[in-house]
Amino acid sequence: MSLISEKTIERLILYRGLLLQANHESESGIYSHQLGRMAGFTPAQVRRDLMQVGYTGSPARGYDIAKLIQSISALVDPAEKREIALAGIGSIGRAILAYFQGRSSLLEITAAFDTDPEKTDRVIHGCRCYPVDRLSEIILARGIRTGILCVPSGAAQSVTDAFVAGGVRGILNYAPTRLIVPPDVYVENRDMIMAVEKVVYFSGPRTGQRKETG
Amino acid sequence: MSLISEKTIERLILYRGLLLQANHESESGIYSHQLGRMAGFTPAQVRRDLMQVGYTGSPARGYDIAKLIQSISALVDPAEKREIALAGIGSIGRAILAYFQGRSSLLEITAAFDTDPEKTDRVIHGCRCYPVDRLSEIILARGIRTGILCVPSGAAQSVTDAFVAGGVRGILNYAPTRLIVPPDVYVENRDMIMAVEKVVYFSGPRTGQRKETG
DNA sequence: TATTTGCTGTGAAAATTTTCACAATGTTAT
DNA sequence: ATAACATTGTGAAAATTTTCACAGCAAATA
Ligand SMILES: NC(=O)c1ccc[n+]([C@@H]2O[C@H](COP(=O)([O-])OP(=O)(O)OC[C@H]3O[C@@H](n4cnc5c(N)ncnc54)[C@H](O)[C@@H]3O)[C@@H](O)[C@H]2O)c1
Ligand SMILES: NC(=O)c1ccc[n+]([C@@H]2O[C@H](COP(=O)([O-])OP(=O)(O)OC[C@H]3O[C@@H](n4cnc5c(N)ncnc54)[C@H](O)[C@@H]3O)[C@@H](O)[C@H]2O)c1
């Protein structure tokens, strides 16, 4: 078997999210076709993915929801709590702070950084804000391994370098810039313009449509 | 050959973005390996993708940047200007409005919707805001085919239904909800929590890392 | 108890995506 | 001129991802 693919990880995280959301007080089990319908995949796809987590269901009762959540979490979650850093406390950065905080028990944005002195040295949505100059220093001291990048594209690469210097190994990038990072640093790009362009393409009166992504 | 795959479309849009960003006043041509390095793909991948747009480069000068941009645009852009609707003028919705407006010559968010009367019947970042009740009516009248969804997850499905009733064929969904839509409506999901979870997984001290996505 | 039912887990097939590898081609250097 | 070179476009191979299809099984039914 070896390594679990990125796509599979993405789907597993989705399954877990759906299972957590779904009010499964009425039912304690779920079948691959039910989960597949919720997620927008085939039952075979779901079973194939779940194979990888090592938890095995029963033909009669399907998958036990609680145990399945637990098994996916065991695979996908970090062993202990993880702190996350955010750079760029502008409109997007703030929206993310507001939205994210308190949403996960294991993950928390515990340090935010900006150049603007108006925004630093205070607490926003429960998150302490510092000047960017101290980014590497602070995340290194705290062992932060994950960063969210919300600075203007002109600053994106230099802040990335500071992230990397501070030991970050994964970056969620909202700037419309391709970041240059060492090969062992993972980057997930989330440019909104490109996403809109893609959706516009597929909303068009063209022949080529598919259904679900993301 | 038939249809261009979703992945290829995504990469083409990325190539165009990179080409537009890059200050190519010094050079008028670009080679597949250069574009590949910028985008994070192999030269072969780039050539294979560019094959599909029908524009052909020269072995000696590579691809003419201006013409390449034009060819990708011809494939990917709508024939005329497209209006886009946005629902949910909260922190994310506003950030997107602020960011998106004026960024594209063909695409513009021209109608925003909210339940909160404080936010409606005014203009925010150049975009007129209306009460959600009028969503279907207004987008139908204007022929809007693309929607951006930024409402709380509890409202996501009902607003989606209004989008669909109003003729929307593509939705960019920022709510952490799986939308139910007719099969000919395209949905791109952009849940931030899932993205963070994925990045955290790949920032972990695990064996399995890859490099670039999004 | 025996039979039917509808599911899981998975080997194998199919489909899709990516990479390889090389002939063709225009440019530059000699 | 001619040779040397670097790159394109692409058929074919390789790799990856998804789907098929079915044995095996536990529960429900008769
Ligand atoms: N992907 C998306 O959905 C999306 C949406 C909107 C904006 N964006 C991108 O996110 C980024 C920020 O957008 P915004 O709308 O929040 O802009 P903004 O101007 O509101 O915020 C940018 C913030 O970054 C700070 N900043 C500037 N230089 C910095 C530096 N070197 N270090 C740290 N902080 C710095 C600024 O002080 C400001 O607070 C931009 O790159 C934009 O392209 C992405
Ligand atoms: N994907 C991301 O990056 C990301 C980040 C933050 C938030 N979100 C999601 O986006 C959504 C909005 O988040 P937010 O932080 O902007 O919240 P918010 O509370 O600031 O904004 C929500 C807005 O939606 C409006 N609204 C409520 N019900 C509505 C309805 N039926 N029709 C139209 N408008 C309605 C509210 O009045 C409010 O203005 C949430 O679903 C959240 O989960 C996504």
Side-chain angles (χ1 to χ4, degrees):
Chain A
M1 176 210 74
S2 79
L3 217 59
I4 301 181
S5 80
E6 198 171 319
K7 286 188 153 187
T8 298
I9 291 294
E10 211 166 66
R11 283 192 301 260
L12 288 172
I13 289 172
L14 170 62
Y15 299 151
R16 180 177 61 168
L18 294 169
L19 292 170
L20 286 168
Q21 259 174 53
N23 187 357
H24 41 69
E25 276 154 37
S26 40
E27 285 296 324
S28 75
I30 193 170
Y31 298 115
S32 61
H33 64 90
Q34 298 177 294
L35 190 46
R37 185 154 20 76
M38 288 192 238
F41 306 119
T42 64
Q45 179 77 81
V46 172
R47 291 203 299 278
R48 186 61 73 184
D49 290 337
L50 295 190
M51 253 177 82
Q52 312 246 340
V53 322
Y55 171 65
T56 153
S58 109
R61 262 166 279 95
Y63 304 93
D64 181 281
I65 294 178
K67 284 184 188 151
L68 183 49
I69 290 173
Q70 208 173 15
S71 302
I72 295 177
S73 297
L75 178 74
V76 138
D77 279 344
E80 350 71 44
K81 275 193 147 201
R82 281 284 186 90
E83 298 182 38
I84 296 171
L86 180 145
I89 316 170
S91 52
I92 273 281
R94 253 179 244 262
I96 287 175
L97 274 176
Y99 173 59
F100 192 77
Q101 296 300 55
R103 198 81 43 165
S104 160
S105 54
L106 276 170
L107 307 178
E108 194 185 354
I109 303 174
T110 54
F113 300 90
D114 206 296
T115 31
D116 185 346
E118 299 251 320
K119 289 166 184 157
T120 57
D121 300 313
R122 60 206 210 80
V123 174
I124 298 178
H125 296 299
C127 173
R128 193 149 234 122
C129 303
Y130 306 91
V132 242
D133 322 10
R134 302 186 53 204
L135 197 157
S136 299
E137 169 214 329
I138 290 174
I139 66 177
L140 202 57
R142 301 221 199 139
I144 292 178
R145 310 170 62 77
T146 308
I148 302 177
L149 193 63
C150 310
V151 302
S153 49
Q157 186 60 52
S158 72
V159 175
T160 297
D161 295 343
F163 268 149
V164 171
V168 153
R169 310 292 301 243
I171 296 175
L172 180 51
N173 174 30
Y174 283 91
T177 307
R178 249 19 212 192
L179 308 175
I180 297 163
V181 293
D184 58 348
V185 174
Y186 178 88
V187 178
E188 173 89 11
N189 293 299
R190 239 83 220 278
D191 182 33
M192 196 222 130
I193 306 267
M194 275 185 33
V196 172
E197 287 172 347
K198 188 177 160 195
V199 174
V200 167
Y201 175 82
F202 286 107
S203 346
R206 267 188 212 71
T207 23
Q209 282 111 336
R210 276 277 209 46
K211 216 176 42 189
E212 295 263 335
T213 347
Chain B
M1 175 211 75
S2 78
L3 217 59
I4 301 182
S5 79
E6 199 170 317
K7 285 189 155 186
T8 299
I9 291 294
E10 212 165 64
R11 283 191 302 259
L12 288 172
I13 289 173
L14 170 62
Y15 300 150
R16 181 178 59 168
L18 294 169
L19 291 170
L20 287 168
Q21 260 175 52
N23 187 357
H24 40 72
E25 276 154 37
S26 40
E27 286 296 325
S28 75
I30 193 169
Y31 297 115
S32 61
H33 64 89
Q34 299 176 294
L35 189 47
R37 184 153 22 75
M38 289 192 236
F41 306 118
T42 64
Q45 178 78 80
V46 171
R47 291 204 300 278
R48 187 59 73 181
D49 290 338
L50 296 190
M51 253 177 83
Q52 313 246 341
V53 322
Y55 171 64
T56 153
S58 109
R61 264 167 275 95
Y63 304 92
D64 181 281
I65 294 178
K67 284 182 188 154
L68 183 48
I69 290 173
Q70 210 173 14
S71 302
I72 296 177
S73 297
L75 178 74
V76 137
D77 279 343
E80 350 70 47
K81 277 193 145 201
R82 282 284 185 91
E83 300 181 38
I84 297 170
L86 181 145
I89 315 168
S91 51
I92 273 282
R94 253 178 244 262
I96 287 175
L97 274 177
Y99 172 58
F100 192 77
Q101 297 299 57
R103 206 52 76 142
S104 161
S105 55
L106 277 170
L107 307 178
E108 193 186 354
I109 303 174
T110 53
F113 300 90
D114 206 297
T115 32
D116 185 347
E118 300 251 321
K119 289 167 184 156
T120 58
D121 300 313
R122 62 207 210 78
V123 174
I124 298 179
H125 296 296
C127 174
R128 191 150 235 121
C129 302
Y130 306 91
V132 242
D133 322 10
R134 303 186 53 206
L135 198 155
S136 299
E137 170 214 327
I138 290 174
I139 66 177
L140 201 56
R142 301 221 199 140
I144 292 179
R145 309 170 62 76
T146 308
I148 303 176
L149 194 62
C150 309
V151 302
S153 48
Q157 186 60 52
S158 72
V159 175
T160 297
D161 296 342
F163 268 148
V164 171
V168 153
R169 310 291 299 241
I171 297 174
L172 179 51
N173 173 31
Y174 283 92
T177 307
R178 245 27 208 189
L179 308 174
I180 297 163
V181 293
D184 57 347
V185 174
Y186 178 89
V187 178
E188 173 89 13
N189 292 299
R190 239 86 220 279
D191 182 34
M192 196 221 132
I193 307 266
M194 275 183 33
V196 172
E197 286 172 347
K198 188 176 159 194
V199 174
V200 166
Y201 176 82
F202 287 107
S203 340
R206 270 187 211 69
T207 22
Q209 282 111 337
R210 275 276 211 40
K211 215 175 46 191
E212 295 265 331
T213 347

